[in-house]
Amino acid sequence: MVYRSLLRPLLFNLPPETAHHLALKSLSLARPFIGRSLAPDKSTAIKLFGLAFPNPIGLAAGFDKNGVALQELASLGFGHIEAGTVTFHAQPGNPKPRLFRLPQDQALINRAGFNNEGAAAFAQRVRTARPDCVLGVSIGKSKITPLENAIDDYLGSFDLVYEVADYIAVNVSSPNTPQLRELQQADQLTSLVRALKTRNRELQLRINRSAPVPMLVKLSPDLSTSELEMIVDVVGKENVDGIIATNTTTSRDNLNSAKQKVAACGEGGLSGLPLRSRSTDIVARIYRLTDGRIPIIGVGGIFTAEDAWEKICAGASLVQLYTGFIYEGPFVARKINRGLVEIMKREGVSHLQEVIGMKANR
Ligand SMILES: Cc1cc2nc3c(=O)[nH]c(=O)nc-3n(C[C@H](O)[C@H](O)[C@H](O)COP(=O)(O)O)c2cc1C
């Protein structure tokens, strides 16, 4: 309430990226005053990929690209944080402005372009400042690396973040790195995933980990039915541990904001409310295609517990949000976690796992 009536108007008066930096800075300064993470609730805690997620709500990739406020973000109630996307080479990202708000649509448009300090700097920082929750690390291709050398670039980042990551998300779906989404094509994805799996086993043996690091692939919401079918086939054949669905969309359909306002933002990925049903639909399609055998992390347009519930019923084992955090404020993860427990009581469900995919066929 205080966030929406007081803090959000102040923050929304600032350019979006300035507000973002201010929020991250305030969080890291608040470290001494921030309490511990939420105690897990037995009815929503979940074991997946051999990891214990204290609750199903995660912070999506892109919010804390450099891992500067992970502990503070965990204490806001997130059960997992997907940090990054980091790239092998540090890079500035696209020219500013590159982040825009569409309040009438509860949406954002961004073309950040993987601005980050690089995988090495990330790993060094996180080694001494791990969050009190599951930590995923998203890796992407450096802009200066040509597409034909993408595998080596991903492998470079993979090596660097391996020891600090509870899981690694392979980002092949950002619309803001030229050609990146071509890596979702079946043959390209197969080569990339195979190379990373081989490296995973080598590193596991070298550092004596009990198991390889779980590896997930993050997909675009703009895939055609046949593209999605091919990807799901590759993911199954290559034993990828899970799918994150979805990244932002390049579509600008069905927006309430004035056409000129939308056009003035220019290119980039749209996130938030207009993405919600599209990403839920993809979650359900993946669930159906895999008969629920490959865990899905559902992301796109989640603002409330009802939204999270809907994604879980469509087939997501876990969910993430980014835009909802900007619009609803710092307590959104706690609110959604509490709300989920209430919905479960209302629906007579004793563990959240019982409803995963329950409505995937609708
Ligand atoms: C400003 C911004 C930056 C993002 N950066 C990344 C990124 O670096 N890597 C990634 O995989 N997704 C990134 N995303 C996409 C989000 O992780 C998420 O998939 C998408 O925004 C849909 O979720 P939402 O509607 O809850 O925001 C970014 C999103 C936004 C708004």
Side-chain angles (χ1 to χ4, degrees):
M1 235 14 211
V2 177
Y3 177 77
R4 277 214 226 154
S5 54
L6 280 174
L7 211 53
R8 189 170 80 179
L10 288 175
L11 284 170
F12 275 29
N13 253 328
L14 299 171
E17 199 159 339
T18 311
H20 181 77
H21 286 302
L22 186 69
L24 269 181
K25 190 85 207 151
S26 325
L27 271 173
S28 50
L29 289 175
R31 190 165 296 172
F33 311 104
I34 285 181
R36 283 181 56 78
S37 310
L38 274 188
D41 185 303
K42 262 199 225 122
S43 62
T44 56
I46 174 164
K47 280 224 166 66
L48 205 62
F49 321 120
L51 301 168
F53 290 81
N55 69 63
I57 314 300
L59 181 61
F63 189 87
D64 193 356
K65 290 181 190 271
N66 294 308
V68 295
L70 297 172
Q71 291 163 330
E72 296 73 19
L73 289 163
S75 65
L76 293 177
F78 291 104
H80 72 283
I81 297 170
E82 197 167 299
T85 296
V86 293
T87 52
F88 182 66
H89 298 284
Q91 56 183 40
N94 287 321
K96 292 179 191 169
R98 54 195 178 184
L99 176 58
F100 307 87
R101 299 183 194 102
L102 297 176
Q104 275 177 295
D105 286 293
Q106 295 191 62
L108 297 171
I109 289 179
N110 92 87
R111 53 171 169 279
F114 295 162
N115 51 309
N116 78 106
E117 294 169 7
F122 173 87
Q124 196 180 5
R125 177 175 295 121
V126 172
R127 214 162 273 135
T128 53
R130 285 192 62 81
D132 193 10
C133 70
V134 172
L135 177 65
V137 184
S138 169
I139 58 172
K141 183 187 78 64
S142 313
K143 190 173 182 192
I144 56 163
T145 302
L147 200 66
E148 58 270 26
N149 300 338
I151 292 183
D152 281 340
D153 192 86
Y154 277 93
L155 283 171
S157 297
F158 195 85
D159 290 349
L160 288 165
V161 305
Y162 193 80
E163 281 186 67
V164 298
D166 291 323
Y167 75 81
I168 293 179
V170 184
N171 183 1
V172 283
S173 50
S174 165
N176 301 315
T177 296
Q179 295 179 298
L180 187 85
R181 303 202 297 179
E182 290 178 22
L183 295 172
Q184 293 174 117
Q185 288 165 12
D187 50 343
Q188 305 231 40
L189 189 62
T190 304
S191 311
L192 175 61
V193 162
R194 274 194 194 158
L196 292 172
K197 283 228 115 180
T198 306
R199 183 61 57 87
N200 200 347
R201 278 189 296 271
E202 288 165 6
L203 290 172
Q204 182 209 344
L205 295 176
R206 197 179 307 160
I207 66 169
N208 240 334
R209 263 184 82 115
S210 57
V213 170
M215 210 173 83
L216 286 79
V217 171
K218 183 164 177 181
L219 302 182
S220 155
D222 302 329
L223 297 162
S224 68
T225 305
S226 61
E227 285 169 331
L228 189 65
E229 281 169 9
M230 274 185 307
I231 291 171
V232 167
D233 190 47
V234 171
V235 165
K237 278 191 186 136
E238 301 301 325
N239 292 315
V240 174
D241 298 280
I243 296 177
I244 305 164
T246 67
N247 214 312
T248 54
T249 175
T250 54
S251 158
R252 300 289 187 266
D253 294 344
N254 307 320
L255 295 179
N256 300 314
S257 307
K259 276 212 163 57
Q260 296 103 304
K261 183 168 175 150
V262 177
C265 299
E267 286 186 354
L270 175 75
S271 58
L273 193 55
L275 177 63
R276 186 166 73 201
S277 58
R278 198 184 183 100
S279 69
T280 305
D281 181 50
I282 297 216
V283 167
R285 275 155 61 194
I286 298 171
Y287 188 89
R288 291 197 300 268
L289 284 169
T290 59
D291 286 327
R293 279 193 295 264
I294 298 175
I296 305 164
I297 301 183
V299 49
I302 295 176
F303 292 76
T304 65
E306 296 288 345
D307 301 339
W309 177 258
E310 191 180 60
K311 284 270 191 301
I312 295 166
C313 292
S317 297
L318 299 166
V319 296
Q320 297 177 341
L321 67 157
Y322 185 136
T323 308
F325 191 42
I326 306 295
Y327 280 89
E328 299 296 312
F331 302 115
V332 67
R334 282 174 191 263
K335 257 189 349 212
I336 295 181
N337 274 310
R338 268 201 310 270
L340 276 178
V341 174
E342 276 162 30
I343 296 175
M344 285 165 59
K345 272 192 202 135
R346 181 187 81 200
E347 301 290 326
V349 171
S350 56
H351 197 284
L352 201 54
Q353 243 162 330
E354 294 165 30
V355 301
I356 297 171
M358 193 173 73
K359 293 186 181 160
N361 288 319
R362 292 211 185 147

